[in-house]
Amino acid sequence: KNEVEQSPQNLTAQEGEFITINCSYSVGISALHWLQQHPGGGIVSLFMLSSGKKKHGRLIATINIQEKHSSLHITASHPRDSAVYICAVSRWDKLVFGAGTILRVKS
Amino acid sequence: DTAVSQTPKYLVTQMGNDKSIKCEQNLGHDTMYWYKQDSKKFLKIMFSYNNKELIINETVPNRFSPKSPDKAHLNLHINSLELGDSAVYFCASSGTSGGAGDTQYFGPGTRLTVL
């Protein structure tokens, strides 16, 4: 069993829908990261959080340390949000990654 | 101005060859990393360096040898390439001294294909 589990693995949404991607982890961490990988392959860090909630534009990330769970929300989704969203946890000196969620937003 | 750059972007080579991938960051970061992304898009850390010192060597075959001539560069040399080495290799950097609890900036990736 992976230390970091994401759900769903695949997600198809209609433009405008509210999207939630979940991440659960089973180990102690110092921070949790949400990354975005576009079809072209580049990886961008969206959020790093160790408590509470962060918001950037239409993206919101939350974390519950006690429950070892984080969610990434996308409001008013758009086709350009189509990408792979990866959860990763900082564990000692390294990142441990989830398997990613493939999101496709249809117009 | 590119923050983390890698060369080459694509690398196609025969089994048994030796190849290198170069990485440079102009962010002034202390820590650099190499990650491997397999065919299922799963990312895994290979190495990390902090100020030219090896911090993490994550059970990678010793055919893989990272080299950090200065804290802005982290190169990856691979000897005797095998089919299973085919993957996308990402370089990344972060600002903290040896910790992964900081935002990481990724290079564009190098797609290695071993024939």
Side-chain angles (χ1 to χ4, degrees):
Chain A
K1 192 177 191 294
N2 287 342
E3 292 176 324
V4 182
E5 297 281 350
Q6 281 185 242
S7 63
Q9 289 184 334
N10 289 278
L11 181 55
T12 300
Q14 283 297 130
E15 184 173 358
E17 284 184 1
F18 181 83
I19 289 164
T20 296
I21 300 170
N22 295 300
C23 176
S24 296
Y25 53 94
S26 56
V27 294
I29 68 171
S30 56
L32 184 141
H33 303 249
W34 282 102
L35 308 170
Q36 180 192 56
Q37 185 170 26
H38 270 286
I43 298 173
V44 175
S45 178
L46 298 174
F47 294 104
M48 186 193 67
L49 61 167
S50 53
S51 66
K53 176 179 171 177
K54 286 190 176 180
K55 184 175 190 290
H56 182 71
R58 295 180 295 105
L59 301 178
I60 303 165
T62 63
I63 187 169
N64 184 319
I65 296 293
Q66 285 74 29
E67 294 186 5
K68 292 189 164 64
H69 181 269
S70 175
S71 293
L72 177 68
H73 305 287
I74 305 174
T75 61
S77 60
H78 190 276
R80 65 175 175 265
D81 297 326
S82 298
V84 178
Y85 291 84
I86 303 168
C87 172
V89 298
S90 298
R91 182 153 170 73
W92 305 112
D93 289 334
K94 65 181 183 181
L95 288 184
V96 179
F97 296 87
T101 294
I102 302 170
L103 171 65
R104 182 179 169 218
V105 181
K106 297 197 285 188
S107 57
Chain B
D1 205 15
T2 306
V4 182
S5 59
Q6 290 179 233
T7 53
K9 191 164 171 61
Y10 300 96
L11 188 50
V12 181
T13 188
Q14 299 286 334
M15 261 196 323
N17 284 349
D18 303 338
K19 289 293 178 187
S20 291
I21 307 171
K22 295 187 176 182
C23 179
E24 176 180 1
Q25 54 96 2
N26 62 7
L27 297 167
H29 286 164
D30 292 327
T31 308
M32 295 184 72
Y33 310 82
W34 277 111
Y35 295 100
K36 180 179 181 180
Q37 186 174 45
D38 62 24
S39 57
K40 294 182 180 176
K41 300 285 192 180
F42 191 73
L43 277 160
K44 192 165 182 191
I45 187 156
M46 301 173 70
F47 301 103
S48 79
Y49 269 72
N50 176 255
N51 275 318
K52 303 193 294 176
E53 284 193 35
L54 180 66
I55 302 295
I56 293 173
N57 181 342
E58 193 72 4
T59 60
V60 175
N62 57 17
R63 296 182 297 103
F64 290 79
S65 53
K67 283 193 171 43
S68 183
D70 55 60
K71 76 172 194 176
H73 295 85
L74 180 60
N75 304 322
L76 184 64
H77 188 76
I78 316 170
N79 288 328
S80 303
L81 278 154
E82 299 178 358
L83 293 176
D85 298 332
S86 295
V88 181
Y89 293 84
F90 285 96
C91 176
S93 72
S94 70
T96 56
S97 296
D102 200 6
T103 299
Q104 297 201 9
Y105 294 82
F106 288 79
T110 296
R111 182 175 295 276
L112 171 64
T113 303
V114 182
L115 303 174

